[in-house]
Amino acid sequence: MEELKDLRKKIDEIDRNIVRLIDERMKVSVKVGEIKKKNNAPIFDPKREKEVIASKINLLENKELSNLITTIYNDIMYTSKQIQKHLIADNDTKENNNNKKIKYDSVIAYQGREGGNGYEAAKKFFGDEAKLIKKKSFEEVLESIRSSESYYGVLPLENSSTGMVNEVLDILADYNCKIVGEVYLTIEYALMANKNTNIGNIKKVISHHQALKQCSNFIKENNYEEIFSTNTAEAAFFVSNSGDDSLASISNKNAYKIYNLNILKENIENIKGNTTRFIVVSNYDNALSSGNKMTMRFLLPHENGSLSNVLDKLKIFNLTSIVSRPHVERKWQYYFYIDMVGDFESDEAKNVFEEFRRSVENFIVLGVYDE
């Protein structure tokens, strides 16, 4: 048994070194977070994370431990990212200016093309004279803000008939962006094609997958073949340049003027009054610190009653939305996103938030703004 004791002592010594080095690594991670904040760099760098794990596996003598190394370093890097996010969030709280207002003469990025829903939402919020720049993807909109090319971005978050736009939820926190406003756009879709095209010739429709879903009844009734596009305006642009009389786009009704198309049928959406909620986002340095609506994100353990227990703490507010999204690095654990309305400046509210923060993991306020 002496031999076993000696081996355990050796393991204890190794563990002490591991803990010491992890502590040292996290201190360096804080410094990395400070540099990222200073340079407005994203916390999440998937390419870097893959390189880190690959390099550590390469150091192994026993390659059968590769899965273990992957798990360990996923957890280490996840914790590092959370430390950096909280560092930025804490600094934001200290530095925020209560008098910050929306700057309507700033450059605004949106996803899509002229005549698309993002374009129309940006104009509705910022006005017809807004300085708009188009981007191909949601990530490019957020990258435009991060690089200071644009001051704001406009992104779809939720549709009244098809629910949340999960792609936006999943990337918002990774770019350190904050919600500063919202705008609701009534979506009226039309079937449009090249001039002199008869509706009876149409065999295929092209649009964004959300638009196709929102017009699914009309598509099924006519047995149209579906083609996916990056957005509804891009679909109209494609049709206008296709020369294909069997192809039509499902696009925002205003797009036909921009792309010189004919409307074959209006209001083809499944539900009349179909509405999309768009959010206006900015860099965290430009976030507002007051408003009557808040969007937050947090993580809970996979335990009985964990969600109901924390929701009870928020009973002084009107919870208008709650959505869950899977945690990609922790199986069967979920991020919860909550929208709520209320007075967030009262002493009671501040006490509630402090208690709530202690009850959950990875608590992030994604924005405080006016409803």
Side-chain angles (χ1 to χ4, degrees), residues 331-371:
K331 289 182 179 178
W332 315 125
Q333 279 195 268
Y334 296 85
Y335 281 116
F336 290 91
Y337 294 80
I338 285 181
D339 287 334
M340 57 188 185
V341 177
D343 176 9
F344 306 123
E345 298 298 319
S346 68
D347 290 339
E348 183 183 14
K350 291 174 183 177
N351 291 334
V352 165
F353 286 132
E354 187 57 36
E355 184 180 355
F356 184 85
R357 184 191 290 269
R358 292 196 300 266
S359 304
V360 300
E361 295 181 56
N362 311 137
F363 175 73
I364 297 175
V365 175
L366 292 173
V368 179
Y369 49 100
D370 285 324
E371 185 180 20

Side-chain angles (χ1 to χ4, degrees), residues 3-269:
E3 185 179 3
L4 180 59
K5 286 182 180 179
D6 290 341
L7 289 172
R8 284 176 174 171
K9 284 181 181 179
K10 188 172 183 179
I11 287 175
D12 287 342
E13 179 61 28
I14 292 170
D15 285 345
R16 278 192 291 272
N17 287 327
I18 289 173
V19 171
R20 178 181 58 79
L21 291 170
I22 288 175
D23 188 48
E24 186 176 336
R25 192 186 199 279
M26 292 306 161
K27 289 176 182 176
V28 175
S29 182
V30 169
K31 293 180 180 179
V32 170
E34 290 170 349
I35 293 172
K36 286 180 177 178
K37 174 174 171 57
K38 182 179 178 181
N39 293 279
N40 196 19
I43 288 173
F44 181 48
D45 186 347
K47 182 180 178 183
R48 164 69 178 162
E49 292 192 3
K50 288 179 182 179
E51 289 172 350
V52 167
I53 292 174
S55 67
K56 301 307 176 283
I57 290 174
N58 193 48
L59 295 173
L60 281 172
E61 291 183 13
N62 181 4
K63 299 301 182 185
E64 292 182 0
L65 299 176
S66 296
N67 287 339
L68 175 62
I69 289 295
T70 299
T71 299
I72 289 172
Y73 272 89
N74 273 332
D75 284 344
I76 287 174
M77 289 187 290
Y78 170 78
T79 303
S80 294
K81 286 183 289 187
Q82 297 312 310
I83 289 173
Q84 292 171 12
K85 285 178 182 178
H86 288 308
L87 169 71
I88 289 171
D90 289 343
N91 286 342
D92 288 345
T93 301
K94 294 173 185 175
E95 296 171 7
N96 264 337
N97 180 349
N98 286 328
N99 296 319
K100 283 189 176 178
K101 303 291 184 182
I102 297 291
K103 297 182 178 180
Y104 288 92
D105 60 347
S106 301
V107 175
I108 302 103
Y110 69 94
Q111 189 269 339
R113 277 182 169 273
E114 297 89 343
N117 294 330
Y119 173 83
E120 296 295 334
K123 287 205 305 177
K124 183 174 181 180
F125 189 92
F126 288 97
D128 289 336
E129 302 303 316
K131 304 169 186 175
L132 305 181
I133 55 174
K134 57 189 177 185
K135 296 295 174 180
K136 292 181 180 179
S137 67
F138 300 142
E139 289 89 348
E140 285 189 15
V141 170
L142 297 179
E143 180 62 27
S144 175
I145 298 170
R146 188 201 68 78
S147 67
S148 299
E149 179 189 27
S150 59
Y151 200 88
Y152 296 113
V154 175
L155 297 169
L157 187 65
E158 181 181 10
N159 180 265
S160 59
S161 63
T162 56
M164 301 303 292
V165 182
N166 292 325
E167 302 98 308
V168 173
L169 274 182
D170 292 340
I171 63 174
L172 195 57
D174 289 333
Y175 280 84
N176 312 334
C177 286
K178 299 292 185 183
I179 303 171
V180 298
E182 64 180 4
V183 58
Y184 290 83
L185 185 71
T186 300
I187 307 297
E188 296 179 328
Y189 286 121
L191 185 74
M192 53 189 73
N194 286 312
K195 292 186 181 295
N196 302 319
T197 298
N198 188 289
I199 193 170
N201 295 332
I202 302 301
K203 306 296 181 186
K204 302 167 289 186
V205 289
I206 182 170
S207 195
H208 187 268
H209 67 89
Q210 287 277 359
L212 294 173
K213 188 185 297 184
Q214 291 163 27
C215 301
S216 59
N217 293 343
F218 175 77
I219 294 170
K220 288 176 183 176
E221 287 170 6
N222 291 278
N223 198 29
Y224 290 144
E225 177 189 344
E226 295 182 2
I227 301 172
F228 295 108
S229 178
T230 53
N231 57 77
T232 59
E234 186 68 35
F237 174 77
F238 182 85
V239 169
S240 70
N241 289 278
S242 69
D244 185 351
D245 290 340
S246 68
L247 178 66
S249 77
I250 292 177
S251 303
N252 185 294
K253 288 202 313 189
N254 294 329
Y256 85 96
K257 299 175 186 175
I258 297 172
Y259 300 106
N260 196 31
L261 298 174
N262 271 356
I263 290 181
L264 303 179
K265 190 171 181 63
E266 296 186 44
N267 302 114
I268 60 174
E269 60 274 5

